[in-house]
Amino acid sequence: MSDVLLSIDCSNRWSCLGLAVGGKIAGERNLDLGREQAARLPLLAAELLAGHGLKIQDVACVAVTVGPGYFTGIRIGMAYAAGLAFALGVRIVPLSSLEAVLRSCPGWDCGVKVPLIAASRELAFSSVYRDGCLVLAEKERTYEELLSKLQEISRDFEMWSVKDARLFASSPREGVQYIANPSGAAHAALALERLHASIKPDELRARYLREPGLGRSL
């Protein structure tokens, strides 16, 4: 088949896979794999495809989150996506990890939403969207710095993240809401919108927003 898209997100605690066939969402797999990400990711992809009568060889496009987020998770997701795309001779759609978090939020395209991914006990990667459109660029920020920026944008906002004990662990974390189940299907839908931005596998680059060796590794 020539219209199968597989999306991959390993940029936070969860591993999320999404599948689109013929421009429509067909399925997803979302699991908190922890240290088993690297070992189980290829099996999860094969299982997701097999559940819809497909094989890895049927994939015509791969999408993957490139950061910011967990350094190791980003590397795992990107390495698998790039290797798969290279082997199949297909293109890759790079996705923002924070926008992927946004798409898992209820009512993601209504009002002011703030997707978060833990960077350390004091810092989080964040961006701000109004009605689904980016209004504050991705950056590593403290809780206080983020609140200050938000006051310049709107007094009515929602902060969202997957459950993570390290998120602003040294701050009150007031107002942060948690996504019960991140959605690989939502990521696949985002990838369908970004097909025009697809690249060759050897052009794929991570967007860490910090040097990997600085601070405590997540």
Side-chain angles (χ1 to χ4, degrees), residues 64-150:
V64 64
T65 49
V66 298
Y70 285 23
F71 177 63
T72 300
I74 291 170
R75 286 192 303 171
I76 290 170
M78 288 181 57
Y80 177 67
L84 181 60
F86 182 80
L88 297 176
V90 302
R91 295 175 70 85
I92 292 184
V93 180
L95 302 175
S96 160
S97 303
L98 286 169
E99 191 169 12
V101 172
L102 171 75
R103 291 302 182 98
S104 291
C105 298
W108 67 267
D109 57 350
C110 297
V112 177
K113 298 287 193 299
V114 186
L116 302 168
I117 298 176
S120 69
R121 293 178 61 84
E122 296 81 23
L123 300 166
F125 299 113
S126 64
S127 56
V128 180
Y129 290 80
R130 177 183 279 121
D131 298 331
C133 298
L134 184 68
V135 295
L136 183 65
E138 299 175 345
K139 186 182 176 183
E140 192 180 38
R141 298 179 174 94
T142 64
Y143 181 79
E144 292 74 17
E145 180 185 359
L146 177 58
L147 287 183
S148 177
K149 290 291 185 182
L150 283 168

Side-chain angles (χ1 to χ4, degrees), residues 24-103:
K24 298 181 179 180
I25 303 304
E28 64 180 347
R29 292 294 301 273
N30 308 300
L31 295 171
D32 185 351
L33 296 179
R35 296 181 182 275
E36 297 181 6
Q37 269 185 333
R40 295 187 59 185
L41 184 58
L43 298 176
L44 288 176
E47 289 172 1
L48 175 59
L49 290 163
H52 294 81
L54 300 168
K55 299 178 181 180
I56 288 293
Q57 292 82 354
D58 294 319
V59 174
C61 184
V62 181
V64 64
T65 49
V66 298
Y70 285 23
F71 177 63
T72 300
I74 291 170
R75 286 192 303 171
I76 290 170
M78 288 181 57
Y80 177 67
L84 181 60
F86 182 80
L88 297 176
V90 302
R91 295 175 70 85
I92 292 184
V93 180
L95 302 175
S96 160
S97 303
L98 286 169
E99 191 169 12
V101 172
L102 171 75
R103 291 302 182 98

